[in-house]
Amino acid sequence: GENVEQHPSTLSVQEGDSAVIKCTYSDSASNYFPWYKQELGKRPQLIIDIRSNVGEKKDQRIAVTLNKTAKHFSLHITETQPEDSAVYFCAASLGGYQKVTFGTGTKLQVIP
Amino acid sequence: GAGVSQSPSNKVTEKGKDVELRCDPISGHTALYWYRQSLGQGLEFLIYFQGNSAPDKSGLPSDRFSAERTGGSVSTLTIQRTQQEDSAVYLCASSLGIGGRSYEQYFGPGTRLTVT
């Protein structure tokens, strides 16, 4: 089955700096890669996703890149703000409405 | 509209008892997922439904765990003979399902299960 590894497990950055979270996956058939943000005590929420037919997707301060050959994808947050502090999960799926395998999460702390 | 709801929000049970957790997905969402999240850990996939069918039950930890969905809506996750290691937050999520353009999963608030 699919295995998703996520690094780092914790990340501290100064407000205004960039943050990068990296994930690798094992199943080359996976073609859908979402990122979820979970604030303390709250439910996970989708912040961005990418499908295998594109290499990069951007939404304001958030971008995701995908390298299918290397089977890794990354989340980039620019100009970080204190409200970006949360746990971020990457995930991989065969697409459609199938099993989604999540990474172990990255706790991001943005220091004001 | 209403989001995904789960009940109960908290459940404390004695080891060996059975528990039933309920999930009400967003109306019209045909795909439904169950996850388990232990304290400070990631999201562990348990099972998902497309309509009333469960194509992938590979994440269920043991035969003490079962889930069903009726009428393509409400789902229940049942844990029999609970053990202390079952203590976790159980999250349910739903998404549009086949024909939808977005695969986004909408999560419920979770049920915090504590087995004493």
Side-chain angles (χ1 to χ4, degrees):
Chain A
E2 174 68 277
N3 182 50
V4 177
E5 295 191 355
Q6 183 171 349
H7 301 280
S9 57
T10 59
L11 179 60
S12 290
V13 299
Q14 291 289 331
E15 182 178 355
D17 287 351
S18 296
V20 180
I21 302 171
K22 299 182 178 182
C23 291
T24 60
Y25 61 99
S26 61
D27 189 344
S28 57
S30 289
N31 58 21
Y32 173 64
F33 307 92
W35 287 85
Y36 284 81
K37 175 183 180 182
Q38 186 175 28
E39 296 178 18
L40 188 62
K42 297 190 176 180
R43 66 194 80 182
Q45 290 190 303
L46 181 74
I47 54 171
I48 195 168
D49 57 11
I50 191 167
R51 303 191 188 192
S52 61
N53 56 347
V54 298
E56 184 173 1
K57 184 176 179 181
K58 196 171 182 180
D59 183 4
Q60 299 183 346
R61 297 185 297 107
I62 294 173
V64 58
T65 59
L66 171 65
N67 183 327
K68 285 220 73 179
T69 302
K71 291 190 282 189
H72 66 69
F73 55 114
S74 301
L75 177 72
H76 304 251
I77 307 173
T78 59
E79 300 171 26
T80 53
Q81 302 168 3
E83 53 265 37
D84 294 330
S85 296
V87 178
Y88 291 81
F89 294 98
C90 62
S93 168
L94 293 174
Y97 299 94
Q98 302 189 51
K99 174 182 177 179
V100 178
T101 302
F102 283 81
T104 50
T106 296
K107 184 176 182 179
L108 173 64
Q109 181 184 22
V110 179
I111 303 167
Chain B
V4 177
S5 62
Q6 292 185 246
S7 61
S9 54
N10 278 286
K11 176 72 177 178
V12 180
T13 189
E14 291 181 355
K15 177 182 172 181
K17 295 284 180 68
D18 297 352
V19 295
E20 195 171 274
L21 313 180
R22 177 187 169 107
C23 172
D24 278 274
I26 293 172
S27 178
H29 281 194
T30 62
L32 185 148
Y33 305 78
W34 282 99
Y35 298 93
R36 178 167 72 175
Q37 187 171 35
S38 302
L39 188 62
Q41 300 299 308
L43 295 162
E44 177 188 5
F45 169 83
L46 298 178
I47 187 171
Y48 89 95
F49 290 88
Q50 181 58 246
N52 293 332
S53 300
D56 193 333
K57 304 179 183 179
S58 64
L60 294 176
S62 74
D63 59 8
R64 296 187 295 106
F65 288 72
S66 63
E68 66 174 15
R69 189 179 185 195
T70 54
S73 182
V74 171
S75 175
T76 55
L77 176 69
T78 301
I79 309 174
Q80 296 179 309
R81 305 180 302 282
T82 50
Q83 303 294 314
Q84 288 186 329
E85 60 261 30
D86 299 335
S87 296
V89 175
Y90 289 81
L91 288 163
C92 172
S94 71
S95 58
L96 278 169
I98 291 174
R101 293 197 299 173
S102 169
Y103 301 153
E104 179 172 3
Q105 293 188 19
Y106 296 83
F107 283 82
T111 292
R112 182 176 298 278
L113 175 66
T114 304
V115 182
T116 61

